[in-house]
Amino acid sequence: MRKRILTIHKSLFLCLLSVFTSATFGNQDAPQMEWSDSVVKTSDSGKSVLIIPMEGQMHTDIRASVYANLVDRIKEANPDLIIVEILSRDRQNNFAYLMGYGDRMEFNRFNAEDLIEIAKVFYIELNDIPQVAWVKDSSGVSTVLALAWPTMYMSNGAFLRSTTQVSDFNNINAEDTRGKIREFRTIHSKIIAEYGDRSYALVRAFIDPDVPLSGTWKGKKVEWEESQFGDFVIDPGKDSMPQLTATQAIEVGISEGLVSSVEDVLLAQGIREYHLVGEDITADILQSVVDWRDDLEDAKEHWEDAQQFASWAGSADAIRNRRAEIRSLRALLKIMEKNPPVAHRLNRPYPPGISTQYVKQRIEEIEDMLDRMKDGGGGGGSGGGRGGGSGR
């Protein structure tokens, strides 16, 4: 049983060594001057550093198109180091998610294609620029994304939490079919493992609840395997999944150490003097979150207006109200087609649960109604369509 304890002697020693040499620079409990105070920020001397914030909801706030559109500008800024700051925690734990605590609309969905495209921007398009990831906290798909960087630091108190959103293949009874679907739905983890120079077994464990995970120290690295036979067990499998604290992530060689500031990260990288570049790029990334969320509010208003006009369509002004409804739906559709995050957000498995396909279909239905009404037929009605559901 001793080998199943996460904090074995060897990993604990390496953790303490990491803490002493490069990790716990920003200990908030220490009253004395922090080690990272020796890192000097300048206006234009020292190493050039670019901050890439990834904060909020995956595939909306954090999405591939934002970073892909900035590749040329990032290359022009020519930083010596990119620090990717990841803070994406739609839930503190699976229990809170299952109980519906918090704003369910803020819960992440798992989009493997977008995940790969985000990682591809940094691994392929920006591969010539040194990069590190600073995980301030992560839950679900953001954890998988964080593993795409070989060098990771974590905030004290941060977690690497798994996601069960890929694992609905367990509902399939036929074993051979379930196995094929499992491989199809988890294959993206192999790409992430390649990008992050990490074990496929390690990355897959964060998305597949049936796969166990254990590790064995080989020199300074851990060899991971999909079994319980390593020196220490992270995940026994059978519906259990890894939920690692920042300290545990250091102990098993996933994270390089604990940090609490950009200066901590730089000191760990051996940088004593730096200046920021591409601050307009950092600002534009943050602004993109504000912009799409503003568009989301406009889209919600158009949807509510459409619902209201539909409810009035049974009155004497049926034609006018149907025309007003169709104007609102067209304005909604324009936003959804122009702004994929809005469409992604609205197309949820709970209200409003509407898709671009449904909005188009509803517009066609109303146009048919108006044609019939012009020809003297009925069709005013009072229905307005309450949403197309995520599958429509």
Side-chain angles (χ1 to χ4, degrees):
M1 292 298 292
R2 177 179 293 178
K3 76 173 184 178
R4 300 178 186 274
I5 299 175
L6 179 63
T7 310
I8 61 173
H9 291 121
K10 186 171 185 179
S11 62
L12 179 59
F13 169 76
L14 290 173
C15 172
L16 293 173
L17 180 62
S18 174
V19 169
F20 178 75
T21 56
S22 66
T24 328
F25 310 114
N27 187 344
Q28 297 176 353
D29 296 328
Q32 69 271 21
M33 183 181 73
E34 298 178 351
W35 292 0
S36 58
D37 288 343
S38 62
V39 177
V40 178
K41 181 181 179 181
T42 71
S43 59
D44 58 3
S45 61
K47 297 292 186 179
S48 56
V49 177
L50 172 63
I51 306 297
I52 299 291
M54 294 187 178
E55 182 171 343
Q57 187 180 53
M58 287 292 300
H59 313 310
T60 53
D61 298 323
I62 304 168
R63 61 188 188 277
S65 59
V66 171
Y67 314 110
N69 290 336
L70 295 171
V71 166
D72 290 340
R73 290 171 59 189
I74 292 173
K75 289 181 177 180
E76 185 178 351
N78 193 28
D80 293 312
L81 179 69
I82 293 175
I83 300 178
V84 180
E85 299 181 355
I86 299 174
L87 175 57
S88 179
R89 51 183 183 192
D90 55 357
R91 58 187 185 272
Q92 292 294 322
N93 52 58
N94 283 332
F95 177 76
Y97 171 73
L98 294 173
M99 294 299 292
Y101 297 157
D103 183 354
R104 290 182 65 85
M105 293 295 283
E106 290 296 334
F107 290 168
N108 287 332
R109 297 180 73 181
F110 202 108
N111 184 329
E113 182 179 355
D114 190 61
L115 167 66
I116 295 300
E117 289 302 314
I118 296 172
K120 187 184 294 184
V121 169
F122 293 90
Y123 180 78
I124 296 179
E125 299 293 337
L126 301 172
N127 191 46
D128 292 338
I129 305 173
Q131 306 169 29
V132 299
W134 171 13
V135 178
K136 297 180 177 180
D137 204 6
S138 69
S139 173
V141 62
S142 58
T143 295
V144 183
L145 175 61
L147 294 172
W149 278 271
T151 303
M152 175 199 298
Y153 300 95
M154 295 180 67
S155 295
N156 189 20
F159 278 80
L160 295 174
R161 297 184 180 89
S162 307
T163 177
T164 59
Q165 291 181 312
V166 186
S167 63
D168 55 355
F169 45 70
N170 284 331
N171 297 323
I172 301 171
N173 293 326
E175 186 173 344
D176 58 339
T177 303
R178 184 173 64 251
K180 292 177 182 177
I181 293 177
R182 167 184 271 119
E183 290 304 315
F184 174 76
R185 293 184 181 171
T186 60
I187 191 64
H188 64 276
S189 60
K190 184 174 292 186
I191 300 173
I192 294 295
E194 178 183 343
Y195 288 176
D197 192 25
R198 298 185 186 275
S199 162
Y200 174 41
L202 170 66
V203 180
R204 180 169 172 167
F206 280 92
I207 61 173
D208 192 334
D210 280 353
V211 174
L213 179 69
S214 64
T216 301
W217 281 97
K218 298 292 184 181
K220 295 182 178 181
K221 296 192 68 175
V222 173
E223 287 190 359
W224 299 99
E225 57 185 273
E226 294 181 358
S227 77
Q228 300 184 37
F229 305 129
D231 288 345
F232 56 93
V233 175
I234 296 294
D235 173 17
K238 297 180 181 179
D239 295 327
S240 174
M241 302 186 77
Q243 310 287 334
L244 301 181
T245 67
T247 301
Q248 290 170 334
I250 296 171
E251 293 174 352
V252 297
I254 297 175
S255 170
E256 300 292 324
L258 301 179
V259 297
S260 62
S261 67
V262 168
E263 286 73 20
D264 286 352
V265 176
L266 296 176
L267 184 58
Q269 288 290 298
I271 297 174
R272 297 281 184 168
E273 187 177 50
Y274 79 102
H275 64 281
L276 294 178
V277 295
E279 293 179 89
D280 58 326
I281 296 173
T282 305
D284 284 350
I285 294 173
L286 296 174
Q287 186 62 42
S288 71
V289 176
V290 176
D291 291 343
W292 88 261
R293 287 182 176 268
D294 285 345
D295 286 343
L296 175 64
E297 294 306 310
D298 290 342
K300 288 179 180 178
E301 288 185 13
H302 290 309
W303 172 250
E304 291 170 359
D305 288 345
Q307 295 291 89
Q308 185 65 72
F309 288 122
S311 70
W312 291 338
S315 69
D317 294 324
I319 293 180
R320 186 180 67 177
N321 286 319
R322 285 302 185 191
R323 285 173 175 169
E325 179 186 359
I326 209 170
R327 283 197 300 271
S328 296
L329 289 174
R330 283 171 175 163
L332 168 63
L333 181 62
K334 183 178 181 180
I335 294 175
M336 294 177 73
E337 290 183 329
K338 180 181 177 182
N339 202 326
V342 174
H344 179 88
R345 179 65 173 265
L346 291 178
N347 187 19
R348 307 290 289 195
Y350 24 81
I354 57 176
S355 65
T356 54
Q357 180 182 348
Y358 171 76
V359 176
K360 290 178 181 179
Q361 177 183 325
R362 182 61 186 164
I363 290 172
E364 291 176 359
E365 290 174 354
I366 300 172
E367 288 174 338
D368 289 341
M369 287 183 196
L370 289 171
D371 288 340
R372 291 196 301 270
M373 293 165 74
K374 289 177 183 177
D375 294 336
S382 59
R386 290 186 166 255
S390 60
R392 294 286 295 276

